[in-house]
Amino acid sequence: MKEPLAFRLRPKTLEDIIGQKHLVGEHGIIRRCIEEKTIFSLIFFGPPGIGKTTLSKVIAQELGRPYKMFNAVTGNKKDLDAIFFQAKMEGSLLLICDEVHRLNKDKQDLLLPHIEDGSIILLGATTANPYHSINPAIRSRCHLLELLPLSREDMAEAIAKAMKAPEGLNNEYTIEDGAVRRICDTANGDIRYALNILEISALYAEDKVITEAIVDQYTKVANNRSFGDDDGHYDLVSALQKSIRGSDVNAALYYLGLLAQSGDVKGIVRRLLVIAYEDIGLANPALCARTLPACQTAEEVGFPEAIIPLGVHIIDLCLSAKSRTGVDAVHKAQSIAEEYACDIPKYLRLTPVGLKNEEKYSYERYDCFHKIQYLPDPLKDLDLFPSFNNNRYEQQLKQIYEELKKTKRTSDLKNLYKQGK
């Protein structure tokens, strides 16, 4: 069977690589390594289809170094033992490892000493964020290099090369400018996706002319990197929340549309519940309360219809007044609690020991509840609300809060109760 177009056009030298100028350009670290005939253990990270594994192979070929391929998911101890034996025979071996973030502890334990002594030079590839997903022991022995999605100009260059290359379409086809734009728009920086679309479009091109209409048949849905566990999903969720926080309805609905393609209604719902209380909060408590029913409705109906209640509620969230007073106070309290571990005042404990009855918390003294000191002595003057926003509801809260701040609180319950009488 004929190899796929994307496979046939894989770069073989640095000059063949499209994009990634920050790595392979005139002052790029990879080009410098090739010129100096040296290489270090590296982990390439970035979205799918931008050339992480290809770049690793190019490095090996440019340096004339032996290499072995290894997949962290499917590879086993027997495979590694064979690699270690070859490394011993060669003196040093490049190990190109796909899905490097999925190396389990057993495989890591086997690899680490060989990476440490340089007998194995690891060239890892991952779509995950290595700062979160790569084991620190592996990460500390490697340099992390990010590969970026290709620009539209890069994609257009790749398509032009594919049209002319002997191992590509060999100048046997022509392509409309609109078709090129359509492929670039939907490929989302993934050169492999773009070449796959080009190849299948060529198969059905009458008179060997690739038109925009033909391309449209195979690009009904743009290439979305948000599926599965890839960081693209979390980037979309982040973009959705920031768009709502910035009151940009159009952007928020667009990112919802992208997230909806994954069908992960629970993930979207969890984020909206957090957004309501984190970014809207005390500015609009009624809207926070409406978030749960809207989310429950979306979960009940499921996709594709779930996008309707989700979208309507996102519009509401976007256009609402915003306040971070509540979440800022919560985070400040959390930070102080981590720094200061103070004893709870005895009179607030469930079963106080060593206190006389008149020194204990009295459940009957409603008139004194707001005069009791509830914070431990070292934190008795703690103020988590330096300011409130200017919306009407928060102004009401501010007035109540300021009045309570004027109240003199005390830990001397015996005298407090006496004064109350």
Side-chain angles (χ1 to χ4, degrees):
M1 292 182 65
K2 193 175 183 180
E3 294 168 331
L5 179 62
F7 183 86
R8 302 198 306 271
L9 292 175
R10 266 192 166 177
K12 296 178 176 61
T13 68
L14 283 187
E15 305 305 327
D16 295 335
I17 293 176
I18 295 173
Q20 315 307 334
K21 298 304 181 187
H22 62 298
L23 297 178
V24 302
E26 183 179 354
H27 301 293
I29 181 63
I30 299 301
R31 182 170 293 278
R32 185 66 177 160
C33 286
I34 299 302
E35 290 171 351
E36 294 296 323
K37 298 296 181 182
T38 187
I39 195 63
F40 311 96
S41 286
L42 305 171
I43 292 178
F44 298 119
F45 67 99
I50 58 174
K52 297 181 293 295
T53 302
T54 295
L55 180 56
S56 298
K57 290 182 176 180
V58 166
I59 290 172
Q61 291 165 359
E62 289 274 15
L63 293 174
R65 298 279 293 272
Y67 72 90
K68 293 292 289 185
M69 299 294 299
F70 182 78
N71 188 292
V73 177
T74 59
N76 55 38
K77 182 179 180 298
K78 184 179 179 181
D79 297 328
L80 285 176
D81 286 340
I83 290 169
F84 298 151
F85 180 78
Q86 183 176 346
K88 186 177 180 180
M89 295 295 101
E90 301 280 357
S92 181
L93 182 70
L94 296 183
L95 176 61
I96 300 175
C97 181
D98 282 328
E99 306 291 339
V100 66
H101 64 286
R102 296 189 182 276
L103 281 172
N104 61 31
K105 188 176 184 305
D106 290 343
K107 294 172 187 174
Q108 289 174 34
D109 289 343
L110 292 170
L111 271 173
L112 284 175
H114 298 278
I115 297 175
E116 187 77 44
D117 66 17
S119 59
I120 292 289
I121 304 296
L122 178 65
L123 300 179
T126 177
T127 57
N129 185 333
Y131 296 99
H132 297 156
S133 60
I134 301 291
N135 182 286
I138 292 286
R139 197 172 66 228
S140 69
R141 291 165 172 80
C142 301
H143 297 278
L144 308 181
L145 299 178
E146 182 179 11
L147 271 70
L148 305 175
L150 273 69
S151 67
R152 281 176 169 76
E153 292 75 16
D154 292 334
M155 301 292 287
E157 181 185 345
I159 292 170
K161 281 189 174 183
M163 296 295 295
K164 298 177 182 177
E167 63 272 28
L169 300 185
N170 198 27
N171 281 322
E172 295 178 7
Y173 294 80
T174 57
I175 185 169
E176 294 180 351
D177 291 342
V180 174
R181 286 194 299 271
R182 180 65 174 148
I183 293 174
C184 294
D185 287 343
T186 56
N188 199 13
D190 185 334
I191 193 168
R192 182 168 53 219
Y193 183 92
L195 293 177
N196 287 342
I197 293 298
L198 179 65
E199 184 173 30
I200 195 170
S201 298
L203 183 63
Y204 290 95
E206 294 182 7
D207 301 323
K208 297 198 172 184
V209 178
I210 301 172
T211 66
E212 186 174 357
I214 291 174
V215 171
D216 274 339
Q217 297 180 48
Y218 306 105
T219 55
K220 297 297 183 184
V221 178
N223 182 30
N224 187 347
R225 294 194 296 266
S226 70
F227 300 129
D229 296 327
D230 290 343
D231 291 320
H233 173 80
Y234 300 103
D235 290 341
L236 277 183
V237 168
S238 175
L240 172 66
Q241 179 163 5
K242 290 179 174 69
S243 299
I244 292 173
R245 184 180 296 151
S247 303
D248 191 328
V249 181
N250 299 306
L253 290 177
Y254 168 70
Y255 292 123
L256 172 65
L258 292 177
L259 282 165
Q261 294 176 31
S262 70
D264 182 18
V265 66
K266 288 187 178 296
I268 299 171
V269 160
R270 283 195 300 271
R271 180 51 49 183
L272 289 184
L273 290 169
V274 171
I275 290 170
Y277 287 93
E278 182 176 353
D279 294 306
I280 311 301
L282 296 174
N284 195 344
L287 179 56
C288 295
R290 294 200 299 272
T291 301
L292 182 58
C295 290
Q296 289 173 332
T297 300
E299 288 188 296
E300 183 68 25
V301 300
F303 279 121
E305 288 86 354
I307 199 170
I308 299 172
L310 291 174
V312 169
H313 194 69
I314 282 175
I315 294 170
D316 207 355
L317 291 170
C318 277
L319 300 180
S320 170
K322 309 294 193 300
S323 171
R324 292 183 61 86
T325 301
V327 70
D328 287 346
V330 170
H331 288 160
K332 186 175 179 181
Q334 187 177 27
S335 176
I336 292 171
E338 291 171 355
E339 187 174 353
Y340 299 97
C342 302
D343 290 336
I344 297 171
K346 288 184 178 180
Y347 52 84
L348 294 181
R349 298 175 187 177
L350 182 61
T351 54
V353 178
L355 293 180
K356 298 177 182 179
N357 286 335
E358 63 268 25
E359 297 173 336
K360 295 179 181 179
Y361 181 89
S362 174
Y363 290 90
E364 288 76 32
R365 295 302 303 272
Y366 306 102
D367 59 313
C368 296
F369 287 170
H370 68 293
K371 297 179 180 179
I372 294 173
Q373 177 185 316
Y374 294 96
L375 281 167
D377 283 336
L379 300 173
K380 65 179 182 178
D381 297 321
L382 177 65
D383 185 359
L384 299 175
F385 296 94
S387 65
F388 284 85
N389 289 340
N390 293 321
N391 68 80
R392 185 179 300 176
Y393 181 70
E394 285 206 5
Q395 285 299 309
Q396 294 173 356
L397 295 180
K398 179 179 181 180
Q399 184 176 352
I400 297 169
Y401 181 69
E402 294 297 337
E403 288 297 323
L404 287 170
K405 280 175 66 176
K406 296 175 184 177
T407 304
K408 187 176 180 180
R409 295 184 181 270
T410 179
S411 58
D412 187 355
L413 302 194
K414 182 178 179 180
N415 286 330
L416 175 62
Y417 295 151
K418 284 181 180 180
Q419 293 170 8
K421 291 180 179 178

